[in-house]
Amino acid sequence: MKIAVFSARRYDKTMLAEANAGAGHALRFLEDRLTAATAPLAEGCEAVCVFVNDNVDAEVLGILAAQGTRLVATRSTGYNHIDAQAAERLGIAVVRVTDYSPHSVAEFAVGLLLAVNRKIARASTRTRDGNFDLDGLMGFDLHGKTVGVIGTGKIGVIFARIMAGFGCTVVGYDKFPSPAFETLGGRYVGIDELLQCSDVVSLHCPLTPETHHIVDAASLARVKRGCILVNTSRGGLIDTECAIAALKSGQLGGLAIDVYEQEASLFFQDLSSTIITDDVIQRLVSFPNVIVTGHQAFFTVEAIGQIMRTTIESISDFERGQPLRNRIPANP
Ligand code: NAD
């Protein structure tokens, strides 16, 4: 099958080609992000393979359908960048990767939390400069603190288990509670109680119309003063301007994010020689108690290998007319 692979970075090219070795699909790697302007590059490809910042809206799907695309495969778990209903209308099947090392993201969330709480990145920058002063680097013990987990699915439960191992009390909020969370000692509470009692809040729910800006001015007003907020899920869960206001007032004690609402025009590219015009991200990275990474929580050998293998398997299943295990429903 001919596959147009958008947003293809070096690691996508090598690892997808490796996964494809036995399957023999024809891969057309494109470094561009998928948009209405770049969609014609997929002309003649029955399958289009995308990533989280590709724009797979109704307009783009219309162009792809007219060019003969019948399958969109996203190399991600989240699929908020895809208009699943439009795809259904146009007869395009959409698959994602439901299962790949959730440990990759959960472990990274813990890393971000430690880095922002214990000022590890700041300390490292200082020592490189010959500055071994400890002033300004004090954090707090996680042991004995309360950690709130919003979204206790695959990643949230692993994050919660690690935090329980640190000796934290773990509370959770989820629309669909899971026994696995309670088995590890977690206690479900309402979202208000979670915000009020947690020293750390970590977001692990998907971005949906319901969870969009789940962290806004009202919820930030309810958090425990000095709380650390961690987001490895999707940028749109946080109203970033409100988070900045909460950091300025001290209501938020720290912010560690791997995702950012306006990340599409920034992340996955080297902009170090350009003037970044996004004042919000520039303001954020100027805070000493903020850590921003560029959507890398999933980026481990294990996770990428599994993402590529599952993507190729789904495409091969589609080609053979077999049931699609990872198909996204039109009405999620
Ligand atoms: P999952 O589907 O296993 O878990 C999501 C959980 O969120 C479920 O338990 C679900 O019931 C819950 N949820 C849904 N709507 C909710 C709501 N309104 N309020 C509270 N909880 C709600 O997904 P997962 O594999 O754990 O992944 C979680 C998210 O992590 C993904 O949606 C994706 O956005 C993000 N993610 C980020 C990266 C990264 O590299 N930064 C990588 C993979 C996934």
Side-chain angles (χ1 to χ4, degrees):
M1 212 165 180
K2 282 188 194 150
I3 311 169
V5 185
F6 282 90
S7 298
R9 296 288 169 269
R10 194 162 47 89
Y11 49 87
D12 293 303
K13 293 176 191 170
T14 50
M15 293 185 79
L16 196 62
E18 225 170 80
N20 185 46
H25 298 294
L27 304 175
R28 184 185 298 170
F29 288 111
L30 303 158
E31 289 182 8
D32 308 72
R33 212 159 62 78
L34 174 60
T35 62
T38 60
L41 297 172
E43 173 88 58
C45 291
E46 298 103 308
V48 164
C49 183
V50 299
F51 196 46
V52 292
N53 288 329
D54 286 310
N55 177 14
V56 197
D57 64 11
E59 184 191 0
V60 169
L61 285 162
I63 299 169
L64 294 177
Q67 294 176 167
T69 295
R70 294 179 295 123
L71 178 72
V72 168
T74 184
R75 309 189 289 283
S76 62
T77 303
Y79 54 95
N80 50 285
H81 53 299
I82 302 173
D83 186 335
Q85 288 179 352
E88 172 94 355
R89 272 199 312 279
L90 292 160
I92 295 180
V94 183
V95 289
R96 62 173 175 148
V97 183
T98 44
D99 281 310
Y100 70 85
S101 172
H103 300 279
S104 62
V105 183
E107 290 172 9
F108 194 80
V110 177
L112 280 181
L113 169 58
L114 288 172
V116 80
N117 174 31
R118 304 300 300 272
K119 284 85 175 165
I120 294 172
R122 289 193 78 197
S124 171
T125 311
R126 276 191 193 183
T127 55
R128 274 170 195 265
D129 208 26
N131 176 358
F132 299 95
D133 192 0
L134 296 185
D135 247 0
L137 299 183
M138 194 181 287
F140 60 78
D141 282 10
L142 287 167
H143 179 89
K145 298 296 187 303
T146 299
V147 174
V149 183
I150 298 184
T152 55
K154 290 182 287 295
I155 296 169
V157 159
I158 294 170
F159 175 81
R161 188 176 301 127
I162 300 172
M163 296 295 33
F166 271 59
C168 299
T169 298
V170 183
V171 294
Y173 168 73
D174 197 302
K175 243 180 118 177
F176 305 100
S178 124
F181 180 71
E182 291 177 313
T183 304
L184 64 85
R187 181 171 65 89
Y188 280 110
V189 294
I191 190 153
D192 282 353
E193 185 180 343
L194 182 145
L195 295 173
Q196 281 158 12
C197 74
S198 298
D199 301 285
V200 173
V201 173
S202 193
L203 305 177
H204 298 287
C205 58
L207 176 62
T208 63
E210 198 180 344
T211 60
H212 180 250
H213 288 183
I214 194 168
V215 176
D216 60 6
S219 46
L220 286 164
R222 293 201 293 277
V223 299
K224 196 167 175 178
R225 192 166 173 79
C227 165
I228 291 181
L229 177 63
V230 181
N231 187 10
T232 53
S233 197
R234 284 293 179 267
L237 297 177
I238 299 180
D239 182 330
T240 315
E241 300 274 7
C242 296
I244 289 174
L247 285 161
K248 281 160 101 174
S249 72
Q251 177 70 357
L252 263 189
L255 177 69
I257 55 172
D258 184 49
V259 285
Y260 167 57
E261 192 163 17
Q262 311 304 334
E263 70 178 51
S265 56
L266 298 171
F267 285 10
F268 307 120
Q269 49 191 327
D270 180 0
L271 301 177
S272 57
S273 306
T274 64
I275 302 296
I276 292 174
T277 53
D278 182 330
D279 293 344
V280 176
I281 195 91
Q282 293 298 79
R283 182 77 176 103
L284 265 185
V285 296
S286 76
F287 286 101
N289 54 350
V290 171
I291 285 199
V292 179
T293 50
H295 208 137
Q296 70 173 87
F298 69 103
F299 203 49
T300 66
V301 173
E302 292 80 2
I304 302 293
Q306 189 58 51
I307 288 170
M308 300 312 182
R309 284 191 296 278
T310 303
T311 300
I312 293 294
E313 276 163 25
S314 294
I315 293 170
S316 297
D317 284 348
F318 180 82
E319 190 177 36
R320 290 191 291 256
Q322 287 174 354
L324 298 174
R325 278 161 295 165
N326 295 312
R327 188 166 188 163
I328 294 172
N331 292 302

